Amino acid sequence: MHEPVTGPVYAIYYPILAALGIPVNLVAIVILAQGKCGLCKCITYYLVAMAAADLMVVITGVILNRIIDIYFPGNYLLITPLCRTKTALVYATRDISVWLTVAFTFDRFIAICCQKLKTKYCTKETAAVIVGMVLTLSCFKNIPWYFVYEPLYIIDKLPWYCRIRSRFYTSPLWLAFSYFGCIATPFLPFFVILLLNALTVRCILVASRVRKTLRGNTSSENNPDLEMDNRRKSIILLFSISGNFLFLWLTYTIHYLYYRITNTYSYTGYNDPVYILQETGFMLLLLSCCTNTIIYAVTQAKFRKELKKIVKYPVNQIVKLFFVG
């Protein structure tokens, strides 16, 4: 954590992100929770939880941690105890969002590649347990962040802002916590998602060749392979969500590796290329909390249908009020 970011790019970008992120995630929660998108209850549960987590990322990471600091410098959320709490919440909600993506990817891997486990694992009850575990473990994991920071200024005996304690970069205990934190998010999720996607692709290719051999020339427009068609839709949704995560977290990961390898822990100013790399990573990372709903709309026809209903409803009510009544 550092002093609030400044500059027109940040002042414009984060309000737009919040204005987009809150409604799209709320709409996603409403549509998916109704269960009318043709998705199984297990998938629906994960997607609703992911949308709720992304909404919390917008509230904590974008509004509380960025917009308020930019537009209201010196606000009371910058008092050190509140700043510490806010930072811990930012990390916790981020981890929840990331690991729910991993959990969803693993669930789809089981559903596609492990048919014997599918009926036992891919259930709403299992999804509820996994979501609860991710929520609990992510919160406990990020409690130490509260103790990482110290006041940047003392004004009238009141501590302001958050500055990382110098021993965070040298203490073996804090170094272990830092490395564990970054391995847990995002390096391990990166590895797990890539591995599961690779195994899923391999499984689909093998299954596709086997089914084509068994079906021979029976597959046609009048006799489509519904099983492969369902798998194709599932894999498009899976790869879109996981690929989006990998792409938007890449810059953040590069910056982390750079400052750890080069021991670059401070910047010359807001124009420092390393600082710009850091902030670009944060901007893309936070953008990931707004893109899943767009992915649903692009890849799921029934989701688009329900979205159109929600958009048309207030318009129809206004028409009825002013022109019919």
Side-chain angles (χ1 to χ4, degrees):
M1 185 68 66
H2 41 70
E3 292 184 84
V5 295
T6 60
V9 174
Y10 307 120
I12 295 173
Y13 177 79
Y14 288 115
I16 292 176
L17 195 60
L20 176 66
I22 290 178
V24 299
N25 283 301
L26 287 174
V27 166
I29 292 171
V30 171
I31 293 176
L32 292 168
Q34 291 176 352
K36 297 180 181 180
C37 296
L39 301 170
C40 70
K41 292 182 179 180
C42 178
I43 295 178
T44 299
Y45 204 93
Y46 279 116
L47 296 184
V48 170
M50 290 164 64
D54 287 343
L55 178 62
M56 291 306 300
V57 171
V58 175
I59 294 172
T60 59
V62 178
I63 297 177
L64 296 182
N65 196 43
R66 295 288 168 166
I67 294 177
I68 291 180
D69 290 354
I70 292 172
Y71 284 92
F72 304 98
N75 66 84
Y76 287 106
L77 287 177
L78 293 174
I79 296 175
T80 303
L82 295 179
C83 180
R84 289 170 171 172
T85 303
K86 178 177 63 174
T87 302
L89 288 173
V90 169
Y91 280 106
T93 54
R94 182 200 68 177
D95 282 5
I96 293 169
S97 178
V98 170
W99 279 99
L100 285 177
T101 303
V102 176
F104 170 75
T105 304
F106 183 74
D107 179 88
R108 292 301 85 203
F109 166 74
I110 295 294
I112 294 171
C113 303
C114 306
Q115 295 299 311
K116 292 183 179 180
L117 292 176
K118 178 180 178 180
T119 54
K120 293 182 179 181
Y121 184 84
C122 300
T123 65
K124 183 179 179 180
E125 291 73 21
T126 302
V129 172
I130 297 298
V131 170
M133 289 177 59
V134 169
L135 177 63
T136 303
L137 292 175
S138 296
C139 290
F140 276 108
K141 168 184 171 292
N142 289 289
I143 289 176
W145 281 111
Y146 181 89
F147 304 98
V148 168
Y149 297 93
E150 63 183 3
L152 183 61
Y153 306 117
I154 301 293
I155 302 176
D156 296 330
K157 298 182 179 180
L158 190 64
W160 284 89
Y161 300 108
C162 289
R163 178 177 63 186
I164 295 178
R165 300 177 188 273
S166 58
R167 66 174 180 269
F168 178 77
Y169 300 109
T170 57
S171 168
L173 185 61
W174 281 120
L175 284 174
F177 170 74
S178 176
Y179 287 129
F180 170 75
C182 199
I183 289 172
T185 307
F187 287 108
L188 185 57
F190 257 71
F191 173 77
V192 172
I193 288 175
L194 286 173
L195 176 62
L196 291 176
N197 283 349
L199 293 174
T200 303
V201 168
R202 178 179 177 276
C203 179
I204 289 175
L205 292 176
V206 171
S208 178
R209 286 195 293 265
V210 171
R211 289 185 68 85
K212 284 182 180 179
T213 301
L214 293 175
R215 288 172 61 88
N217 297 323
T218 60
S219 181
S220 63
E221 292 183 359
N222 297 325
N223 187 27
D225 189 339
L226 296 179
E227 176 66 21
M228 292 307 298
D229 186 54
N230 289 334
R231 288 191 178 188
R232 180 183 61 82
K233 292 178 180 178
S234 181
I235 207 66
I236 289 174
L237 178 61
L238 169 63
F239 283 4
S240 297
I241 292 175
S242 57
N244 171 71
F245 164 76
L246 294 173
F247 174 74
L248 293 178
W249 274 78
L250 183 60
T251 304
Y252 173 88
T253 306
I254 291 173
H255 171 260
Y256 179 88
L257 291 173
Y258 176 83
Y259 89 75
R260 277 300 182 188
I261 293 172
T262 62
N263 295 322
T264 305
Y265 303 128
S266 60
Y267 314 104
T268 58
Y270 292 125
N271 294 323
D272 189 320
V274 180
Y275 178 82
I276 293 174
L277 177 66
Q278 170 187 279
E279 290 304 315
T280 301
F282 287 139
M283 293 168 74
L284 292 175
L285 182 157
L286 292 170
L287 177 62
S288 66
C289 66
C290 304
T291 51
N292 280 346
T293 302
I294 298 173
I295 291 172
Y296 306 150
V298 171
T299 61
Q300 304 294 311
K302 291 184 178 180
F303 185 93
R304 292 196 297 272
K305 181 179 177 181
E306 295 301 318
L307 180 60
K308 289 178 182 178
K309 289 182 180 179
I310 289 181
V311 173
K312 288 181 180 179
Y313 180 78
V315 176
N316 291 337
Q317 295 303 310
I318 293 174
V319 171
K320 288 181 181 180
L321 180 63
F322 289 99
F323 297 100
V324 178

